[in-house]
Amino acid sequence: MEIKKTLLTIGIILAAITTQAQKAPTKLYQEPYRLQAHFSPKEKWMNDPNGMVYYKGVYHLFFQYYPKATVWGPMHWGHAVSNDLIHWKQLSIALYPDKLGYIFSGSVVIDKDNTSGLGTKGKPAMVAIFTHHNPKGEKAGTSTYQNQSIAYSLDEGTTWTKYKGNPVVKNPGIKDFRDPKVFWYAPGNKWVMTLATKDRITFYSSPNLKDWKKESEFGRMLGAHGGVWECPDLIPLKLNGKEYWALLVSINPGGPNGGSATQYFVGHFDGNKFTPTSTETKWIDHGPDNYAGVTWSNTGNRKIFLGWMSNWLYANETPTVKWRSATTIPRELSLKSAAGDIWLTSNPVEELENIVTKTINVDAGLLAKDNNIFSVIKQTPTQYRLKFNTQAVKDYSVILSNNAGEKLVIGYNAKNSRYYIDRTRAGQNKFNKQFASIAYAPRLSLSPTSDFELLVDASSVELFADGGLSNLTGIYFPKIPYTRLSIVNNGMEIEDLQIQPLKSIW
Ligand code: FRU
């Protein structure tokens, strides 16, 4: 049904949509702003996801963790596990700081062939490769305080032993020398490490995870350089049967909407050297709150990405009380051709369906007539999912609002061909003057039709548009929960609108 040149505003009352009582004290996982479909630590500070690995049916998630405060501090590796990437159980701390320093970001591999000799043939070791950051060396003004070390576990990640010969990659005199991500490169029968080395990525290789040799460098003159490079990842992906490699590189600051963000390059990798197929700077997500993301190891052809849902501009100041920061929803990465180039798409993993309580398909005709249709949503999950398809893309917006006069606006602007999240009036923003912002993502798709998927949680919104080609992730902090949803549609045909209330994962 075509709705022509009408400014259609549909007020949707989402009665009792939330358990997000904004007054403390509350039960664990029900505190103000606590996300109900995303992982966050029980309490205290978290930043980057680390060491993600799939082993024996379990998805492991380690993370940068400071167990003594809700601000960044001496880094540990926290640990959580999941069977479905959605429901998480937090376990005890995996790695503690030691005399070599704090435990910064890194990765975990399963050493199936016991190349390291740290396990046995029948019982492979889980090996963590991470950065040891020595705060004393930093204070003393040296430039060699970040080095790469390893630790291993023979009980599926429960307990860890640090390798006696640490560090395994010594700093050659580069201050920013960190965040090793390691994978097995079968054609070369060797391990490959991608390491962030200030303004470039350095590749190393090893037969045994202990002895490393430098292979090559990439990126000094390519991509965005508004800040230091961090948290790389190199993954193979197929497009029309042909293999490519995507190199993810986080950068802080210098993101497209300020502060931290993650860029990527598509190209070829021959075991020694990465060669990009395009010189365009590309972003995995244009939103302000998706940083330091990498993919799970040991998941075969499936590449599952997880980011930290915050930004170093204000991460230490966000108004949560007992805990601080969460991860994005896990996202499946694929390649897609569009506008004469090859791009990464990100979409929520299909396991998110596990917490869909029901699907409400809204008839486009009803959208025009019945404003109260969404009062059917009487249950209490705090998340819902919304999808619609359009023909001939014009301006539209989705507005979430509350009775305190706050609103979060997510939409598309046809004149500039870009999607946006406007959180300037979305809630609390005084904690940092750079927080109240409008973030934009260019529309890359040239198709006359479009789709728009929003995952809204108690204090986060993730937009996946055009099959995940254009993405925006942002956090927000309303005084009271949002209870109304409106769609402003400037005369465009809406084919289908689906609302999927989600169950809390806790
Ligand atoms: C990225 C980062 C990493 C570092 C870690 C320290 O957010 O700065 O480069 O390893 O956080 O917590």
Side-chain angles (χ1 to χ4, degrees):
M1 178 189 148
E2 176 109 31
I3 306 153
K4 278 208 177 102
K5 288 180 199 124
T6 41
L7 184 74
L8 174 64
T9 306
I10 308 132
I12 299 165
I13 311 298
L14 298 175
I17 189 84
T18 181
T19 55
Q20 185 197 350
Q22 306 284 12
K23 282 180 212 130
T26 29
K27 283 203 200 128
L28 182 65
Y29 295 122
Q30 289 179 20
E31 306 88 345
Y33 309 124
R34 178 71 91 167
L35 299 166
Q36 300 298 314
H38 296 80
F39 175 76
S40 58
K42 268 186 196 153
E43 53 168 21
K44 309 304 181 197
W45 169 270
M46 174 182 83
N47 55 294
D48 311 358
N50 294 149
M52 290 125 69
V53 65
Y54 180 64
Y55 191 44
K56 295 194 175 168
V58 177
Y59 292 94
H60 291 264
L61 165 63
F62 300 88
F63 50 91
Q64 289 286 280
Y65 187 46
Y66 184 39
K68 293 205 177 128
T70 52
V71 290
W72 191 88
M75 284 289 113
H76 300 53
W77 272 26
H79 188 194
V81 287
S82 172
N83 295 320
D84 67 354
L85 294 161
I86 302 296
H87 297 88
W88 293 98
K89 187 169 169 227
Q90 190 170 336
L91 305 179
S92 42
I93 291 173
L95 294 171
Y96 287 81
D98 56 40
K99 64 178 193 316
L100 293 177
Y102 303 163
I103 314 298
F104 270 22
S105 287
S107 48
V108 168
V109 296
I110 308 300
D111 186 12
K112 287 182 186 131
D113 297 327
N114 197 27
T115 62
S116 63
L118 296 170
T120 56
K121 271 262 149 66
K123 197 168 203 195
M126 270 172 105
V127 182
I129 309 96
F130 58 89
T131 301
H132 254 132
H133 171 99
N134 188 332
K136 286 189 196 129
E138 184 183 23
K139 243 194 197 142
T142 70
S143 54
T144 53
Y145 50 86
Q146 294 185 340
N147 294 277
Q148 317 321 316
S149 289
I150 61 176
Y152 59 98
S153 170
L154 300 175
D155 56 7
E156 280 141 55
T158 311
T159 59
W160 291 84
T161 307
K162 298 206 183 95
Y163 173 56
K164 288 211 170 61
N166 281 337
V168 294
V169 181
K170 283 210 178 109
N171 192 315
I174 304 168
K175 269 192 186 161
D176 297 294
F177 188 75
R178 59 180 178 264
D179 308 339
K181 180 79 162 52
V182 172
F183 65 95
W184 178 250
Y185 183 73
N189 214 20
K190 63 182 182 182
W191 299 98
V192 170
M193 176 194 291
T194 56
L195 192 70
T197 51
K198 192 181 166 192
D199 55 359
R200 65 198 77 178
I201 300 305
T202 304
F203 298 99
Y204 291 82
S205 72
S206 169
N208 57 10
L209 295 166
K210 294 168 173 167
D211 304 300
W212 292 91
K213 163 175 136 220
K214 182 173 163 177
E215 293 282 355
S216 63
E217 293 180 351
F218 168 79
R220 162 76 190 86
M221 307 298 280
L222 270 177
H225 281 278
V228 72
W229 284 21
E230 299 182 319
C231 300
D233 192 4
L234 181 64
I235 50 169
L237 285 166
K238 287 217 163 99
L239 178 66
N240 303 326
K242 211 173 147 202
E243 185 175 82
Y244 293 87
W245 289 77
L247 177 64
L248 317 187
V249 179
S250 284
I251 174 175
N252 178 59
N257 282 286
S260 325
T262 302
Q263 59 181 325
Y264 68 90
F265 305 86
V266 177
H268 300 290
F269 182 67
D270 64 4
N272 309 92
K273 199 168 170 281
F274 176 80
T275 314
T277 49
S278 147
T279 53
E280 176 140 10
T281 301
K282 297 169 176 157
W283 301 96
I284 206 158
D285 185 322
H286 277 74
D289 298 302
N290 179 355
Y291 193 58
V294 290
T295 60
W296 256 275
S297 297
N298 210 29
T299 52
N301 290 336
R302 206 178 164 203
K303 298 298 168 202
I304 308 162
F305 169 97
L306 190 76
W308 171 43
M309 207 151 49
S310 197
N311 190 313
W312 283 116
L313 283 177
Y314 44 72
N316 280 287
E317 295 155 23
T318 54
T320 56
V321 177
K322 248 176 71 184
W323 57 284
R324 199 174 255 138
S325 297
T327 61
T328 63
I329 205 72
R331 302 169 183 197
E332 183 129 7
L333 300 182
S334 309
L335 290 177
K336 194 169 181 170
S337 297
D341 209 338
I342 303 172
W343 307 86
L344 270 183
T345 59
S346 308
N347 287 291
V349 292
E350 63 189 22
E351 287 87 343
L352 186 60
E353 300 295 326
N354 294 353
I355 55 168
V356 170
T357 55
K358 62 180 168 186
T359 300
I360 303 161
N361 284 298
V362 182
D363 178 344
L366 289 176
L367 272 174
K369 286 185 232 134
D370 189 348
N371 285 358
N372 281 326
I373 185 158
F374 299 108
S375 59
V376 291
I377 305 172
K378 278 275 197 297
Q379 52 205 79
T380 49
T382 57
Q383 301 72 227
Y384 50 91
R385 205 169 168 201
L386 192 149
K387 274 185 191 170
F388 60 95
N389 297 310
T390 62
Q391 303 267 328
V393 191
K394 300 182 186 166
D395 285 10
Y396 59 85
S397 58
V398 174
I399 305 167
L400 291 144
S401 58
N402 61 19
N403 289 334
E406 296 168 336
K407 61 177 180 177
L408 178 69
V409 188
I410 307 110
Y412 178 66
N413 176 263
K415 190 166 153 246
N416 298 309
S417 292
R418 60 189 189 180
Y419 296 97
Y420 59 88
I421 293 180
D422 178 348
R423 64 177 177 196
T424 53
R425 285 158 294 171
Q428 289 199 56
N429 56 31
K430 298 278 185 294
F431 54 88
N432 183 292
K433 62 179 187 316
Q434 280 161 295
F435 185 79
S437 62
I438 308 176
Y440 299 98
R443 181 165 195 249
L444 302 172
S445 170
L446 300 174
S447 166
T449 65
S450 182
D451 53 83
F452 187 85
E453 190 174 328
L454 283 180
L455 175 58
V456 181
D457 205 331
S459 56
S460 71
V461 60
E462 291 160 277
L463 164 63
F464 306 92
D466 300 312
L469 261 181
S470 296
N471 303 314
L472 283 164
T473 299
I475 53 176
Y476 64 96
F477 301 96
K479 269 197 213 109
I480 53 171
Y482 289 147
T483 47
R484 197 174 302 115
L485 173 73
S486 321
I487 298 172
V488 178
N489 170 21
N490 202 2
M492 189 167 55
E493 182 180 346
I494 298 176
E495 278 180 10
D496 177 35
L497 172 59
Q498 272 191 351
I499 297 193
Q500 297 182 311
L502 304 176
K503 249 193 302 228
S504 171
I505 63 170
W506 304 118

